[in-house]
Amino acid sequence: MSEKYKFDTLSLHAGHVPDKETGSRAVPIYQTTSYVFNDTDEAAALYNMEVGGHLYTRISNPTISVLEQRLAALDGGVSCIACASGMAAMHLVISAICSSGDHIVASNKMYGANINLLQHTMPRFGIETDFVNPNNLDEIKKAIKKNTKLVFGEVIGNPGLDVMDIPSVAEICKENNVPLVIDATFNTPYLMKPIDYGANIIIHSLTKWLGGHGIAIGGAIINGGNFDWSNKKKFSTISGPHFALDGISFWEEFGPSALTSKIRAEGMYNFGPTLSPMNAFHILQGIETLPLRMKKHMENTNELIKFLSEHEAVSWVKHPSLDSHPDYGIAKKILPKGAGSVIVFGVKGGREAGKNFIESVQLSSHLANVGDAKTLLIHPGSTTHSHLNSEAMRSAGLTDDLIRLSVGLEDVDDIKKDFEIGLKSVLKSR
Amino acid sequence: MYLKFKNIETFISTGGKKLNSNQPTICFIHGAGQNHFSFVQQIRYFASRGFNAIAPDFPGHGFSKGKCNSSIEDDAIWLSELLQEIGINEFVIAGHSQGCLTAIEFNKLSLKSLKGIIFIAGSAKIPVNDFLIEKAKNEPEKAYKLMVTWGHGKHGSFSISEFPGHHHLGEGFKVMEMNHKSALINDLSSCNKYEKGLDELKNINLDCLAILAKFDLMTPLKFGKKMVEHINSCECHVLDCGHFLPTEKPKELNKIIYQYLKNLDI
């Protein structure tokens, strides 16, 4: 992709220059619902998508646009839509491409809400999904049908930390003329840009590392502009006539940015999963320090992997940077700067020991989020999955003793001291 | 719209509108290595304001198949034949960059139905440096990258777009990548060998319009101004942006063109 400035510079500047009227160096928060038209001609042009601009914040907003343009630049895309959450982003993509009777192929090792949407909600609207092992290329090939409209996966799976072989899956998608949609929340564009490896559409939960502060929910769709939507029969929603705007074909009129033009004109307009301008501002503040934070996240992660691997109270540690991880090879290839700052590990003593560990730590926060600047922990066996027995846990890819750790930016010695307290309680409970 | 022209599938953007033979036409001519997507914020605008607005993809560009033309003269003849094929009446041509050279050459064909010429970020001579020629020939993707980064002004480089969420450099690169791989080298070679532009300008007897870019590194402003000086009647505007003026400053550009078209009374 083509950039004049490097990543760290784009993190600070892309999408914004000080405005001429006020000279404001920071991105202003345009906390407004609507925009005064200069004249009726301008209003008509905006409604008809003849030129760009803002008419109503449900559809676009100047503060949100700065965020969108920054994300598109960072991920090497052609355009971006920011929206209310990562889940909203996923729904917008599916609804832009798929209709009743269509089919999706998705990884079976994804974030639970992603699976729920595809397994339970979308079938009610006639869209079926086959779930596959994301690194079984034959399984993916076999699952693609004539009516398959997209393949969906995560770069780094949550919570199993499986790493998808994006280049190989992208090749399969290209051969079958199906777009590859990738949730890249765990890696952020700092660690890896899936578009560079052949993915076509990127989804982020901005709530996590991109925001980094745990104060704002948001999502984004980055359009790689690298998919050929010309098959009008297969991709009628993108290349066929639109129900409004003189029946235009988004593909013929907007080309590389056809997908996001469609989402702006239909998904944002008709569903309205709008990001608030204030949240866009907060997330922009986070992105300004993304390179610095991700570097520190990875330094701390590497230290903690070593610490946990050597600790007598820890039975196992899983992270794609460890050669014991089944996806170590692909992680090394596509995530050379690091395979994310989530570690999963088991404590000796099973479910009760895991509970003791969580209740003993003082610095780390026990909650259901990842990608905060602060260290976060969760023990599914005593929280999200506490209703499941051991066997049911295993079939969900979890174990009684599993703890998910989202490594924060504190001094790593303090995190180790905190864990030492928790792990001592594990040893005591045995 | 698609049509078979000279037995080759050819695409002409019409902004999603049907052509109306009772309306005047503005025909946008894309630049080197570009296609109709250069004018994504012009076509629908003018197509909704009483004009047929068209932007053909020249052979080997965008959605048009076929072998690229090998000279500016060939481009001009191809365009005139295409316009006759689709049967439009009075029209104005608006060239961007290399499209300005095509427009100069097109004027020579003395079509009575041509009522005006618009020059956007162009000049009468567009020499291309050997380095870019070499890259376009052997590593076209590197050439796209160079052109896209040189071609955008400050706002474009910082990904500031009037179209919410659009990233100029990423989009510019992909637009170029949509063409046949030989398109850019063909176009740059055509520009390089077209040296008679300044002499031809004196033969333009129409009221013209030039919209030039202050920070144009591809066809620098001083050369654009020189072109304007050689035209008998040419209104000139300079906008605060780079070479990719139609996407960098679409609203200002559209207003200037619209006023020009109104003044022409076509």
Side-chain angles (χ1 to χ4, degrees):
Chain A
M1 190 46 72
S2 161
E3 289 304 338
K4 189 169 181 176
Y5 297 103
K6 292 189 176 175
F7 192 91
D8 294 11
T9 310
L10 292 172
S11 300
L12 287 158
H13 292 277
H16 181 247
V17 291
D19 69 82
K20 282 180 183 168
E21 276 186 35
T22 66
S24 170
R25 180 58 275 191
V27 177
I29 304 161
Y30 288 93
Q31 192 68 40
T32 181
T33 58
S34 36
Y35 309 85
V36 175
F37 306 120
N38 288 321
D39 48 46
T40 51
D41 184 66
E42 186 191 24
L46 286 169
Y47 271 104
N48 206 25
M49 279 184 89
E50 294 158 15
V51 292
H54 306 286
L55 56 93
Y56 194 60
T57 286
R58 189 173 85 244
I59 300 152
S60 71
N61 168 283
T63 310
I64 299 169
S65 289
V66 174
L67 173 64
E68 292 170 334
Q69 284 151 206
R70 190 163 299 179
L71 288 166
L74 290 174
D75 244 323
V78 302
S79 52
C80 170
I81 300 268
C83 54
S85 68
M87 290 312 300
M90 187 172 168
H91 180 251
L92 283 168
V93 169
I94 293 169
S95 60
I97 300 171
C98 301
S99 303
S100 178
D102 287 342
H103 174 253
I104 292 170
V105 174
S107 162
N108 60 8
K109 294 179 178 175
M110 295 193 297
Y111 173 49
N114 284 352
I115 296 210
N116 282 343
L117 176 68
L118 296 171
Q119 192 168 29
H120 301 294
T121 310
M122 297 322 295
R124 286 182 16 233
F125 298 91
I127 299 165
E128 301 290 339
T129 297
D130 275 329
F131 292 94
V132 294
N133 177 339
N135 277 336
N136 185 331
L137 301 179
D138 282 339
E139 211 180 312
I140 295 172
K141 268 184 211 170
K142 281 178 192 160
I144 295 174
K145 302 176 188 175
K146 210 174 173 183
N147 62 340
T148 301
K149 296 297 171 66
L150 60 92
V151 172
F152 188 89
E154 295 171 340
V155 177
I156 302 169
N158 175 18
L161 308 186
D162 308 271
V163 178
M164 194 184 216
D165 182 353
I166 307 283
S168 301
V169 179
E171 199 54 44
I172 292 169
C173 289
K174 199 172 176 187
E175 281 165 14
N176 289 279
N177 190 30
V178 177
L180 175 59
V181 184
I182 289 294
D183 185 329
T185 299
F186 271 46
N187 46 290
T188 80
Y190 177 82
L191 293 179
M192 185 260 199
K193 300 177 191 181
I195 292 167
D196 289 350
Y197 291 92
N200 307 108
I201 302 158
I202 309 306
I203 285 173
H204 287 293
S205 165
L206 304 174
T207 316
K208 314 298 190 306
W209 290 266
L210 279 156
H213 30 47
I215 60 170
I217 301 275
I221 302 152
I222 320 293
N223 173 21
N226 55 353
F227 188 76
D228 180 350
W229 301 99
S230 61
N231 186 334
K232 284 190 180 182
K233 203 173 167 192
K234 186 168 184 178
F235 299 110
S236 60
T237 57
I238 309 290
S239 52
H242 185 55
F243 56 81
L245 305 172
D246 311 307
I248 59 165
S249 154
F250 285 97
W251 172 239
E252 289 175 5
E253 294 304 324
F254 297 100
S257 59
L259 176 74
T260 40
S261 300
K262 166 75 180 179
I263 293 173
R264 186 87 66 195
E266 186 181 56
M268 297 306 285
Y269 205 95
N270 294 358
F271 304 141
T274 311
L275 179 67
S276 83
M278 181 62 90
N279 278 358
F281 173 79
H282 286 311
I283 292 163
L284 278 164
Q285 300 317 295
I287 291 173
E288 292 197 352
T289 58
L290 179 71
L292 296 170
R293 287 187 291 106
M294 290 310 290
K295 204 174 160 204
K296 174 81 169 162
H297 273 302
M298 293 321 304
E299 284 171 8
N300 282 2
T301 298
N302 293 336
E303 283 270 333
L304 286 169
I305 288 170
K306 193 166 178 286
F307 169 81
L308 290 168
S309 299
E310 291 169 354
H311 203 284
E312 58 178 326
V314 174
S315 49
W316 55 270
V317 179
K318 191 176 180 189
H319 189 268
S321 66
L322 292 169
D323 59 11
S324 56
H325 192 285
D327 302 329
Y328 170 73
I330 186 65
K332 207 172 169 190
K333 185 179 161 189
I334 68 173
L335 292 155
K337 287 165 130 181
S341 59
V342 171
I343 303 168
V344 288
F345 63 97
V347 287
K348 289 177 182 167
R351 195 178 290 219
E352 197 55 32
K355 194 177 162 190
N356 283 343
F357 174 80
I358 291 283
E359 287 178 353
S360 306
V361 293
Q362 295 166 11
L363 178 70
S364 309
S365 308
H366 178 210
L367 52 77
N369 190 22
V370 289
D372 197 313
K374 302 169 187 78
T375 294
L376 314 176
L377 288 165
I378 196 155
H379 175 229
S382 61
T383 53
T384 51
H385 294 68
S386 59
H387 58 290
L388 299 181
N389 61 30
S390 299
E391 198 181 328
M393 287 274 287
R394 269 197 299 279
S395 66
L398 304 166
T399 52
D400 282 341
D401 59 348
L402 182 148
I403 290 168
R404 186 184 71 184
L405 157 65
S406 175
V407 179
L409 304 178
E410 298 92 344
D411 189 305
V412 74
D413 289 339
D414 291 330
I415 305 174
K416 284 182 195 171
K417 273 184 213 163
D418 193 43
F419 279 24
E420 200 62 68
I421 297 167
L423 292 169
K424 259 183 197 164
S425 75
V426 168
L427 290 173
K428 273 185 196 165
S429 68
R430 294 187 71 206
Chain B
M1 66 179 187
Y2 285 93
L3 79 157
K4 281 269 180 201
F5 174 57
K6 297 186 171 186
N7 218 24
I8 289 167
E9 188 169 66
T10 301
F11 182 79
I12 304 166
S13 173
T14 61
K17 304 250 186 186
K18 283 190 178 155
L19 299 182
N20 177 346
S21 57
N22 295 320
Q23 290 185 156
T25 299
I26 177 166
C27 172
F28 291 93
I29 310 168
H30 65 72
Q34 304 295 306
N35 52 50
H36 76 276
F37 293 120
S38 297
F39 305 109
V40 73
Q41 295 193 72
Q42 281 72 48
I43 294 294
R44 285 181 54 69
Y45 182 86
F46 287 101
S48 301
R49 277 160 187 75
F51 300 93
N52 297 314
I54 61 172
D57 282 341
F58 278 63
H61 295 69
F63 296 150
S64 290
K65 310 282 186 217
K67 201 176 160 205
C68 301
N69 297 324
S70 54
S71 68
I72 297 298
E73 291 84 347
D74 286 350
D75 277 342
I77 291 167
W78 180 88
L79 180 63
S80 70
E81 290 173 351
L82 179 79
L83 295 179
Q84 283 171 39
E85 173 85 11
I86 58 177
I88 58 169
N89 297 318
E90 290 186 326
F91 64 94
V92 166
I93 52 175
H96 172 235
S97 191
Q98 179 189 342
C100 294
L101 302 183
T102 309
I104 293 169
E105 195 59 25
F106 189 95
N107 176 67
K108 277 173 71 180
L109 303 173
S110 303
L111 299 178
K112 283 183 182 170
S113 42
L114 176 63
K115 300 295 174 190
I117 302 177
I118 301 167
F119 300 96
I120 305 167
S123 63
K125 200 176 168 189
I126 308 180
V128 184
N129 70 56
D130 292 342
F131 180 71
L132 184 58
I133 291 274
E134 190 274 318
K135 290 291 168 210
K137 194 174 178 183
N138 300 315
E139 298 176 282
E141 292 194 350
K142 285 194 178 165
Y144 306 158
K145 184 176 174 181
L146 290 169
M147 282 181 65
V148 166
T149 46
W150 286 339
H152 284 91
K154 183 179 173 183
H155 281 219
S157 300
F158 280 120
S159 184
I160 292 155
S161 174
E162 289 182 14
F163 230 116
H166 283 231
H167 174 39
H168 282 292
L169 302 190
E171 199 161 14
F173 183 87
K174 285 295 167 197
V175 163
M176 296 187 78
E177 212 178 36
M178 289 177 90
N179 298 333
H180 189 275
K181 285 211 167 176
S182 66
L184 182 60
I185 184 63
N186 262 283
D187 291 346
L188 295 180
S189 302
S190 294
C191 287
N192 228 4
K193 65 187 180 195
Y194 188 74
E195 295 186 329
K196 56 188 176 182
L198 273 181
D199 294 335
E200 295 293 350
L201 291 173
K202 64 177 183 294
N203 298 320
I204 298 177
N205 294 313
L206 300 161
D207 288 330
C208 297
L209 170 69
I211 307 114
L212 308 175
K214 196 172 171 183
F215 301 103
D216 191 339
L217 299 181
M218 306 290 289
T219 51
L221 181 59
K222 63 178 177 182
F223 296 121
K225 284 188 169 171
K226 193 172 176 186
M227 171 184 72
V228 171
E229 285 165 12
H230 280 71
I231 302 171
N232 296 325
S233 168
C234 188
E235 175 188 334
C236 181
H237 298 257
V238 178
L239 301 188
D240 182 9
C241 62
H243 183 67
F244 289 105
L245 200 154
T247 48
E248 288 186 74
K249 290 283 175 189
K251 285 180 190 162
E252 284 180 63
L253 178 71
N254 292 355
K255 273 190 180 168
I256 294 167
I257 292 177
Y258 186 74
Q259 196 53 51
Y260 166 77
L261 294 174
K262 284 283 153 202
N263 293 343
L264 276 183
D265 197 25
I266 56 173

